[in-house]
């Protein structure tokens, strides 16, 4: 059952990050795309090169999400996700305190804990590539 639990966690978190990456990079799923995300990043003080940071953030989310969901290079996927969550805390949510009700970093911390936990225990047996 532990392997099934790890698969569920990896799929939900990984696919969520794939979606967030696609929002930033391609404007899919109601996302802003690179140009608008870059403009928003510059509006909150991430200057210069908001578009570059948008591409980097979207790429970390997309690649991290794919690796995490697939259970391949899970630790690397978790690291990419954790970097993005730390960035979100530092640039947006940290100044609002912990609780999500105040736009705080509660959710970011949960995602850091979950991805770090899975990276530390391993992806489980249900991964993209079969390992005998």
């Amino acid at each position: 059952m532990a392997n099934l639990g790890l698969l569920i966690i990896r799929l939900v978190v990984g696919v969520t990050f794939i979606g967030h990456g696609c929002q930033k990079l391609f404007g899919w799923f109601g996302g802003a795309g690179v140009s608008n995300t870059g403009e928003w990043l510059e509006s909150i003080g991430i200057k210069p090169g908001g578009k570059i940071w948008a591409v980097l953030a979207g790429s970390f989310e997309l690649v991290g999400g794919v690796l995490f969901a697939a259970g391949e290079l899970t630790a690397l996927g978790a690291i990419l996700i954790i970097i993005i969550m730390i960035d979100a805390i530092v640039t947006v949510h940290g100044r609002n305190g912990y609780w999500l009700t105040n736009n705080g970093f509660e959710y970011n911390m949960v995602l850091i804990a979950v991805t770090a936990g899975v990276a530390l225990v391993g992806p489980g047996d249900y991964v993209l590539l079969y390992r005998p």
Side-chain angles (χ1 to χ4, degrees):
M1 296 311 289
N3 290 311
L4 182 58
L6 286 166
L7 176 64
I8 291 167
I9 292 167
R10 286 192 355 259
L11 287 176
V12 170
V13 173
V15 170
T16 298
F17 274 94
I18 291 168
H20 278 285
C22 289
Q23 287 177 320
K24 287 177 182 68
L25 294 172
F26 313 118
W28 296 354
F29 313 118
V34 170
S35 293
N36 291 333
T37 301
E39 289 174 14
W40 175 76
L41 289 170
E42 289 187 0
S43 78
I44 64 168
I46 301 175
K47 297 178 186 178
K51 287 182 184 177
I52 293 168
W53 291 111
V55 168
L56 285 172
S59 297
F60 274 43
E61 289 174 340
L62 179 59
V63 173
V66 167
L67 294 175
F68 197 78
E72 300 299 330
L73 302 174
T74 310
L76 176 59
I79 289 168
L80 294 173
I81 290 169
I82 290 167
I83 288 169
I84 288 300
M85 290 298 93
I86 291 171
D87 179 61
I89 292 168
V90 170
T91 59
V92 178
H93 301 286
R95 64 180 154 263
N96 300 319
Y98 183 74
W99 299 110
L100 186 61
T101 52
N102 296 322
N103 199 29
F105 60 94
E106 169 188 5
Y107 184 61
N108 306 105
M109 287 301 295
V110 169
L111 290 168
I112 288 170
V114 168
T115 56
V118 170
L120 290 170
V121 301
D125 289 343
Y126 304 132
V127 296
L128 183 64
L129 299 176
Y130 175 73
R131 291 183 186 93

